[in-house]
């Protein structure tokens, strides 16, 4: 037993929250700058609020970019991983599956413009499994009732299962300006270029060139949400000029980088 009397055997290995009989558990967590939380899943659904400028959450088929003060709902059992370039402060509610019947059944960005973020923060910071009074439980119920789906900022991008493709994706996302060719990657991975080309197509539904471009633009979108200037982000992600970057971004996401920033800010 821990000093607080909680059974450490029931501690979530990633988030650190301790299981209890409560329908909703509040939890506050922090992660070092650049720390990557590996692929994992929770037995409970997670209503996650980020206090970092932007947090990147990956699910098997999408990349979610969660700006500061925004909330993302992840149903119980959803595989996901997350990353933020700066210190990441998170405030989460973990919801027992039988208490989440009214919540979305798929990962969902939650509508902004409600008191939800303040409620999640308060619930996460005041949670005490030994002293859950009526006020806390009432606010928790009200918070769940405020969960309304919103478009959010997400990009459809399959997470590759092949270790070689995963290594390519991680490399590009760490440095989107790097320009290793498919042929060079094939050599590094010990396969033919033809085999690698087929693997990319089979797992992502895209050509290597298009997949590589979308990976880089995903990083660009993340940096734009963190407040980066369009010109700076263009050069950081390997574009020779702003006009080429704007054209590529618009082709991929149907909005210009500036419009993307304004929409994400709710303007």
């Amino acid at each position: 037993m821990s000093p607080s009397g909680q059974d450490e055997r029931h501690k979530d290995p990633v988030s650190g929250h301790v299981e209890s009989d409560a329908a909703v558990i509040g939890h506050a967590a922090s992660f070092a700058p650049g720390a990557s939380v590996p692929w994992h899943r929770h037995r409970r659904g997670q209503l996650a609020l980020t206090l970092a400028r932007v947090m990147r959450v990956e699910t098997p088929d999408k990349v979610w970019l969660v700006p500061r003060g925004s909330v993302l709902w992840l149903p119980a059992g959803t595989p996901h991983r997350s990353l933020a370039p700066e210190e990441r402060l998170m405030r989460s509610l973990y919801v027992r599956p039988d208490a989440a019947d009214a919540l979305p059944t798929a990962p969902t960005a939650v509508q902004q413009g409600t008191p939800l973020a303040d409620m999640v923060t308060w619930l996460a910071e005041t949670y005490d499994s030994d002293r859950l009074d009526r006020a806390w439980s009432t606010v928790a119920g009200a918070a769940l009732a405020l969960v309304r789906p919103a478009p959010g900022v997400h990009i459809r991008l399959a997470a590759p299962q092949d270790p070689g493709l995963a290594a390519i994706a991680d490399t590009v996302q760490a440095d989107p300006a790097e320009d290793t060719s498919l042929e060079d990657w094939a050599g590094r991975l010990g396969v033919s270029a033809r085999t690698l080309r087929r693997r990319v197509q089979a797992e992502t539904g895209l050509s290597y060139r298009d997949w590589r471009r979308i990976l880089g633009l995903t990083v660009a979108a993340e940096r734009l949400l963190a407040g980066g200037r369009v010109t700076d982000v263009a050069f950081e992600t390997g574009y020779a000029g702003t006009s080429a970057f704007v054209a590529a971004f618009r082709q991929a996401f149907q909005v210009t980088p500036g419009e993307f920033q304004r929409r994400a800010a709710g303007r």
Side-chain angles (χ1 to χ4, degrees), residues 49-55 66-70 83-90:
L49 165 73
T50 178
L51 301 180
R53 284 186 299 174
V54 60
M55 179 175 66
V66 188
R68 187 197 330 256
S70 296
L83 174 69
E86 57 188 17
E87 182 182 11
R88 185 169 5 132
L89 303 177
M90 290 186 64

Side-chain angles (χ1 to χ4, degrees), residues 151-169:
V153 181
H154 66 269
I155 298 158
R156 187 168 293 280
L157 185 64
Q161 300 302 304
D162 180 271
L165 299 194
I168 295 174

Side-chain angles (χ1 to χ4, degrees), residues 7 12 17 51 67 69 98 102 115 130 138 146 149 194 197 233 241 245:
D7 191 337
D12 187 284
H17 77 267
L51 301 180
D98 64 344
D130 294 327
T138 298
L146 285 175
R194 184 178 182 182
R197 189 175 292 110
V233 172
F245 171 67

Side-chain angles (χ1 to χ4, degrees), residues 87-181:
E87 182 182 11
R88 185 169 5 132
L89 303 177
M90 290 186 64
R91 302 294 181 262
S92 295
L93 302 183
Y94 291 93
V95 186
R96 206 171 58 207
D98 64 344
D101 290 343
L103 300 182
T105 58
T108 304
V110 178
Q111 190 176 69
Q112 299 185 58
T114 72
L116 181 60
D118 290 337
M119 295 165 77
V120 171
T121 299
W122 182 80
L123 290 164
E125 293 178 353
T126 61
Y127 175 78
D128 183 338
S129 62
D130 294 327
R131 292 192 297 275
L132 287 185
D133 59 20
R134 181 175 296 180
W136 195 96
S137 298
T138 298
V139 174
L144 298 188
L146 285 175
V147 174
R148 296 286 185 274
V153 181
H154 66 269
I155 298 158
R156 187 168 293 280
L157 185 64
Q161 300 302 304
D162 180 271
L165 299 194
I168 295 174
D170 288 345
T171 299
V172 173
Q173 287 165 172
D175 179 12
E178 72 87 36
D179 60 355
T180 305
S181 68

Side-chain angles (χ1 to χ4, degrees), residues 178-267:
E178 72 87 36
D179 60 355
T180 305
S181 68
L182 179 140
E183 289 74 19
D184 285 343
W185 271 116
R188 293 185 191 181
L189 298 173
V191 298
S192 69
R194 184 178 182 182
T195 295
L196 181 57
R197 189 175 292 110
R198 286 178 173 174
R199 287 182 186 175
V200 172
Q201 181 69 44
E203 289 216 26
T204 71
L206 300 169
S207 67
Y208 174 79
R209 181 178 179 181
D210 287 344
W211 180 54
R212 167 67 182 75
R213 178 172 53 83
I214 293 296
L215 285 170
L217 288 170
T218 301
V219 177
E222 186 176 358
R223 294 183 182 181
L224 289 169
L225 285 185
R229 295 172 61 244
V230 173
T231 301
D232 294 339
V233 172
F235 285 107
E236 290 168 1
T237 51
Y239 287 85
T242 304
S243 59
F245 171 67
V246 170
F249 195 94
R250 187 167 192 168
Q251 181 182 13
F253 306 129
Q254 289 75 58
V255 293
T256 66
E259 290 170 337
F260 177 80
Q261 286 179 309
R262 289 190 291 274
R263 288 188 186 183
R267 298 197 298 267

